[in-house]
Amino acid sequence: MPMPLTIRPISTKAERKTFVDFPFRLYKDDPNWVPPLKGEALGLITPAKNGWYSHAKAQLFLAEEEGRPEGKKVVGRISAHVDTLALTMPAVQGFGPGVGQWGLMEAEREDVFAALIAAAESWLKTQGMSRALGPISQSIWEEPGLLTQGFDHPPTIMMGHARPEYQGWIERAGYAEVKQLYTYDLDITQEFPPIVKRIIRSGEANPRIRVREVDKRRFDEEAAIILGILNDAWSDNWGFVPLTPPEIKDVGVKLKPIVFNDLIRIAELDGKPVAFMITLPDLNEAIKPLNGSLLPFGWAKLLLWLRAPKVRTMRVPLMGVVKELQSSRLASQLAFMMIEYIRQASIERYAASRGEIGWILEDNQGMRSIAETIQSRVNKTYVIYGKDL
């Protein structure tokens, strides 16, 4: 019989640590869960360490069972949040006025989840919200969506994992599917189909086109170029919220150690940057054995890995082509060229054999077509749900 349940808001450093620790117990027997580095997970929910909080606010909740001889036991958690930038976006793109979010949800049982989601919804109402989307943990640029397909293998860097039963719990709480997000799996040891090769050769013969590596020595300058293309290319996408300078600074600090010149490409047309592709070695392969801690020797193992990473999987989290070229033959040509050059580098220099592309919105037919043309397949599906409050 369940013990009396309490849902309480939290704010202290010790409480945030408890919030971070809970999934380690919940998923301890799940071979496909990747324990995050606890310092990184704490930084995500600490306003002073996450630039997202410069335009957003969040309330964390813990679910605790009382009445046990050993004291209170944490049995769930959730975050409710309001992003003031998301409130200014067009409603047709998913966010907009009155739309709040929840995420970072984990629970032992459905009754615990129901109590947590009710607390999150109640807090969102006090903030003037009339609709909730979730799970989004916490920014759309972090880990959006609930895993609903692909539980049989671990997620790659910056993608989430979940318990299969969560889908039913969310839907029985009155939430309906709003958007599906896909990741695509690709055997990069296989050469691309002849038609793709011909498109690449045609691009290489075009003197107007140049595809170059980034220069990590000019990190800030290169990041600004990529951000400019990103904000243009993605601005009409569902769920788009522009990255702010504090967020860009934080992302740069986190990702710079796994940025390698030959894995990030910028395509230029007549000398003007018009497209980019970011590829990251799957850091999850390195951190999974560390069980969330860099002590006592985890930091040394990770440092050695970062110096010359050898990985099975490369992940492509972001790719973009400026809007004026989208839906053109040139857009796909530039994409195929960048993919091929990074594919070759991934095999030759990092011993990779697998690629993962995404996430990709279900209605992003351009990117889905590119993924399917190079013979990749959907390996994971994530769903974002919505409910009027």
Side-chain angles (χ1 to χ4, degrees):
M1 181 177 179
M3 298 290 182
L5 186 67
T6 299
I7 308 295
R8 65 182 182 90
I10 65 168
S11 60
T12 69
K13 183 177 180 179
E15 291 170 331
R16 289 195 295 269
K17 183 178 182 298
T18 300
F19 190 95
V20 166
D21 286 344
F22 174 65
F24 284 77
R25 173 163 55 83
L26 189 68
Y27 288 98
K28 64 181 177 65
D29 297 321
D30 186 339
N32 293 312
W33 182 66
V34 180
L37 293 176
K38 290 186 177 182
E40 292 292 326
L42 277 170
L44 175 71
I45 58 174
T46 302
K49 296 182 178 181
N50 185 348
W52 174 78
Y53 281 93
S54 66
H55 57 85
K57 54 184 173 180
Q59 179 59 62
L60 307 177
F61 295 89
L62 285 175
E64 297 171 327
E65 281 186 339
E66 303 185 59
R68 294 176 175 272
E70 68 274 20
K72 295 179 180 179
K73 178 188 177 185
V74 175
V75 291
R77 71 176 203 181
I78 200 168
S79 167
H81 35 277
V82 174
D83 186 330
T84 58
L85 268 183
L87 296 178
T88 68
M89 303 307 294
V92 70
Q93 290 181 230
F95 292 139
V99 180
Q101 302 90 42
W102 54 265
L104 300 173
M105 192 284 296
E106 304 286 359
E108 290 188 359
R109 305 185 309 271
E110 185 170 1
D111 64 305
V112 176
F113 167 77
L116 284 165
I117 200 69
E121 291 171 352
S122 178
W123 183 84
L124 289 173
K125 289 179 184 177
T126 68
Q127 305 302 308
M129 301 297 104
S130 56
R131 181 168 172 77
L133 293 179
I136 298 174
S137 305
Q138 291 173 297
S139 160
I140 193 72
W141 298 105
E142 288 159 3
E143 291 185 6
L146 175 79
L147 180 68
T148 60
Q149 180 261 324
F151 297 95
D152 59 341
H153 55 288
T156 55
I157 178 176
M158 298 170 64
M159 296 303 296
H161 190 62
R163 301 172 70 190
E165 54 265 41
Y166 285 175
Q167 182 176 6
W169 295 359
I170 291 172
E171 292 173 358
R172 284 191 288 275
Y175 282 80
E177 182 181 304
V178 173
K179 192 69 66 174
Q180 290 191 358
L181 318 174
Y182 302 128
T183 60
Y184 281 79
D185 178 87
L186 174 67
D187 179 357
I188 64 172
T189 66
Q190 300 299 310
E191 292 192 355
F192 292 146
I195 187 174
V196 175
K197 292 182 179 180
R198 287 197 297 271
I199 292 172
I200 292 170
R201 287 196 299 268
S202 173
E204 291 172 335
N206 186 341
R208 300 177 62 202
I209 294 174
R210 178 193 178 209
V211 177
R212 65 174 181 84
E213 299 180 1
V214 299
D215 185 348
K216 194 172 179 178
R217 295 170 301 178
R218 299 186 293 118
F219 186 83
D220 291 344
E221 181 182 338
E222 299 283 52
I225 291 171
I226 290 173
L227 182 67
I229 300 171
L230 173 68
N231 281 340
D232 178 71
W234 284 53
S235 59
D236 293 334
N237 282 9
W238 186 94
F240 175 78
V241 179
L243 286 165
T244 61
E247 290 174 282
I248 296 165
K249 180 180 178 181
D250 287 347
V251 170
V253 170
K254 291 177 183 178
L255 294 186
K256 193 172 183 178
I258 54 172
V259 166
F260 297 91
N261 291 350
D262 51 356
L263 296 179
I264 300 180
R265 305 283 173 139
I266 293 174
E268 299 174 348
L269 181 66
D270 297 327
K272 176 185 175 183
V274 293
F276 75 92
M277 176 176 165
I278 295 175
T279 305
L280 302 174
D282 184 17
L283 185 62
N284 279 2
E285 294 180 19
I287 69 172
K288 186 176 181 180
L290 304 182
N291 197 34
S293 177
L294 290 176
L295 299 175
F297 304 114
W299 64 271
K301 294 177 182 177
L302 188 58
L303 184 60
L304 284 172
W305 184 89
L306 289 170
R307 286 178 177 173
K310 300 296 181 182
V311 294
R312 174 174 176 260
T313 302
M314 291 286 183
R315 181 183 172 217
V316 181
L318 287 173
M319 181 188 295
V321 180
V322 293
K323 277 195 289 190
E324 66 178 287
L325 296 180
Q326 289 175 6
S327 301
S328 71
R329 182 180 182 276
L330 188 58
S332 58
Q333 184 171 52
L334 296 175
F336 288 138
M337 292 174 72
M338 292 187 293
I339 292 170
E340 172 61 7
Y341 299 158
I342 292 175
R343 183 189 75 85
Q344 292 179 14
S346 298
I347 296 170
E348 295 168 4
R349 302 174 193 174
Y350 304 92
S353 60
R354 174 180 176 265
E356 185 175 281
I357 303 171
W359 47 270
I360 299 175
L361 289 166
E362 61 179 315
D363 49 8
N364 187 340
Q365 294 303 323
M367 274 307 305
R368 293 191 64 187
S369 176
I370 288 171
E372 290 161 5
T373 300
I374 59 175
Q375 300 180 333
S376 59
R377 60 177 184 83
V378 173
N379 69 309
K380 287 183 182 285
T381 300
Y382 295 82
V383 175
I384 294 177
Y385 290 90
K387 177 184 176 182
D388 292 334
L389 302 179

Short mmCIF file of all heavy atoms in Angstrom, two decimals, residues 3 46 53 131 137 163 184 210-211 275 288-289 300 306 309 318 323 342:
data_model
loop_
_atom_site.label_atom_id
_atom_site.label_comp_id
_atom_site.label_asym_id
_atom_site.label_seq_id
_atom_site.Cartn_x
_atom_site.Cartn_y
_atom_site.Cartn_z
N MET A 3 2.53 4.77 0.67
CA MET A 3 2.61 5.66 1.82
C MET A 3 2.05 7.03 1.45
O MET A 3 1.90 7.35 0.27
CB MET A 3 4.08 5.80 2.26
CG MET A 3 4.72 4.49 2.71
SD MET A 3 4.03 3.94 4.27
CE MET A 3 5.02 2.45 4.56
N THR A 46 20.54 25.08 -12.14
CA THR A 46 21.03 26.14 -11.25
C THR A 46 21.04 27.45 -12.02
O THR A 46 21.83 27.61 -12.97
CB THR A 46 22.43 25.80 -10.74
OG1 THR A 46 22.40 24.55 -10.05
CG2 THR A 46 22.94 26.89 -9.79
N TYR A 53 18.28 30.70 -17.99
CA TYR A 53 17.52 31.39 -16.94
C TYR A 53 17.54 32.91 -17.10
O TYR A 53 16.79 33.61 -16.42
CB TYR A 53 18.06 31.02 -15.56
CG TYR A 53 17.58 29.67 -15.06
CD1 TYR A 53 18.33 28.53 -15.29
CD2 TYR A 53 16.39 29.55 -14.35
CE1 TYR A 53 17.90 27.28 -14.83
CE2 TYR A 53 15.96 28.32 -13.90
CZ TYR A 53 16.71 27.19 -14.14
OH TYR A 53 16.29 25.96 -13.69
N ARG A 131 -1.79 26.91 -21.23
CA ARG A 131 -1.50 25.67 -21.95
C ARG A 131 -0.13 25.17 -21.52
O ARG A 131 0.77 25.98 -21.21
CB ARG A 131 -1.53 25.90 -23.46
CG ARG A 131 -1.27 24.64 -24.31
CD ARG A 131 -1.61 24.88 -25.77
NE ARG A 131 -1.20 23.78 -26.64
CZ ARG A 131 -1.84 22.62 -26.76
NH1 ARG A 131 -2.93 22.41 -26.01
NH2 ARG A 131 -1.42 21.69 -27.57
N SER A 137 13.04 19.63 -21.52
CA SER A 137 13.94 19.66 -20.36
C SER A 137 15.23 20.43 -20.64
O SER A 137 16.20 19.86 -21.10
CB SER A 137 14.29 18.24 -19.95
OG SER A 137 13.16 17.45 -19.69
N ARG A 163 11.33 5.76 -19.34
CA ARG A 163 10.69 4.47 -19.11
C ARG A 163 9.50 4.32 -20.07
O ARG A 163 8.75 5.28 -20.29
CB ARG A 163 10.21 4.39 -17.66
CG ARG A 163 11.33 4.55 -16.65
CD ARG A 163 10.80 4.65 -15.23
NE ARG A 163 10.25 3.37 -14.77
CZ ARG A 163 9.56 3.25 -13.63
NH1 ARG A 163 9.31 4.31 -12.87
NH2 ARG A 163 9.11 2.06 -13.26
N TYR A 184 17.76 9.60 -36.78
CA TYR A 184 18.02 8.63 -37.85
C TYR A 184 19.37 7.95 -37.64
O TYR A 184 20.36 8.61 -37.32
CB TYR A 184 18.03 9.34 -39.21
CG TYR A 184 16.66 9.63 -39.77
CD1 TYR A 184 15.91 10.70 -39.31
CD2 TYR A 184 16.11 8.82 -40.77
CE1 TYR A 184 14.65 10.98 -39.84
CE2 TYR A 184 14.86 9.09 -41.30
CZ TYR A 184 14.13 10.16 -40.83
OH TYR A 184 12.89 10.44 -41.34
N ARG A 210 32.25 26.30 -51.85
CA ARG A 210 33.40 25.90 -51.03
C ARG A 210 32.86 25.34 -49.72
O ARG A 210 32.05 25.99 -49.05
CB ARG A 210 34.30 27.10 -50.74
CG ARG A 210 35.50 26.75 -49.83
CD ARG A 210 36.17 28.01 -49.32
NE ARG A 210 37.29 27.71 -48.43
CZ ARG A 210 37.69 28.52 -47.44
NH1 ARG A 210 37.06 29.67 -47.23
NH2 ARG A 210 38.71 28.19 -46.67
N VAL A 211 33.29 24.15 -49.37
CA VAL A 211 32.93 23.55 -48.08
C VAL A 211 34.20 23.43 -47.26
O VAL A 211 35.15 22.74 -47.66
CB VAL A 211 32.27 22.16 -48.26
CG1 VAL A 211 31.98 21.54 -46.90
CG2 VAL A 211 30.98 22.29 -49.06
N ALA A 275 25.48 27.58 -45.22
CA ALA A 275 25.04 26.32 -44.62
C ALA A 275 26.11 25.84 -43.65
O ALA A 275 27.29 26.21 -43.75
CB ALA A 275 24.79 25.26 -45.70
N LYS A 288 29.33 7.06 -19.81
CA LYS A 288 28.46 6.03 -19.24
C LYS A 288 29.15 5.21 -18.15
O LYS A 288 28.57 4.98 -17.08
CB LYS A 288 27.92 5.13 -20.34
CG LYS A 288 26.90 4.11 -19.83
CD LYS A 288 26.30 3.28 -20.95
CE LYS A 288 25.26 2.31 -20.39
NZ LYS A 288 24.65 1.47 -21.44
N PRO A 289 30.40 4.77 -18.34
CA PRO A 289 31.04 3.97 -17.28
C PRO A 289 31.37 4.76 -16.02
O PRO A 289 31.68 4.16 -14.98
CB PRO A 289 32.34 3.48 -17.96
CG PRO A 289 32.13 3.67 -19.42
CD PRO A 289 31.22 4.84 -19.55
N ALA A 300 40.44 11.86 -15.27
CA ALA A 300 41.62 11.50 -16.04
C ALA A 300 41.23 10.66 -17.26
O ALA A 300 41.76 10.86 -18.36
CB ALA A 300 42.60 10.73 -15.17
N LEU A 306 39.17 12.74 -24.53
CA LEU A 306 38.98 13.98 -25.27
C LEU A 306 40.19 14.33 -26.14
O LEU A 306 40.04 15.01 -27.15
CB LEU A 306 38.68 15.12 -24.30
CG LEU A 306 37.31 15.10 -23.63
CD1 LEU A 306 37.22 16.13 -22.51
CD2 LEU A 306 36.20 15.34 -24.65
N PRO A 309 39.58 11.12 -29.28
CA PRO A 309 38.43 10.24 -29.11
C PRO A 309 38.31 9.19 -30.20
O PRO A 309 38.47 9.49 -31.38
CB PRO A 309 37.24 11.22 -29.15
CG PRO A 309 37.75 12.41 -29.89
CD PRO A 309 39.20 12.51 -29.55
N LEU A 318 22.84 19.38 -35.29
CA LEU A 318 22.38 20.57 -35.98
C LEU A 318 22.93 20.65 -37.39
O LEU A 318 24.11 20.39 -37.64
CB LEU A 318 22.79 21.85 -35.22
CG LEU A 318 22.06 22.17 -33.92
CD1 LEU A 318 22.72 23.35 -33.23
CD2 LEU A 318 20.59 22.46 -34.17
N LYS A 323 17.46 30.37 -45.44
CA LYS A 323 16.10 30.24 -45.99
C LYS A 323 16.02 30.48 -47.50
O LYS A 323 15.24 29.83 -48.19
CB LYS A 323 15.15 31.20 -45.25
CG LYS A 323 14.64 30.65 -43.95
CD LYS A 323 13.45 31.42 -43.42
CE LYS A 323 13.84 32.77 -42.93
NZ LYS A 323 12.71 33.44 -42.20
N ILE A 342 32.32 14.79 -43.68
CA ILE A 342 32.37 14.44 -42.26
C ILE A 342 32.33 12.92 -42.08
O ILE A 342 32.96 12.37 -41.18
CB ILE A 342 31.24 15.15 -41.50
CG1 ILE A 342 31.51 16.66 -41.48
CG2 ILE A 342 31.13 14.62 -40.07
CD1 ILE A 342 30.41 17.49 -40.85
#
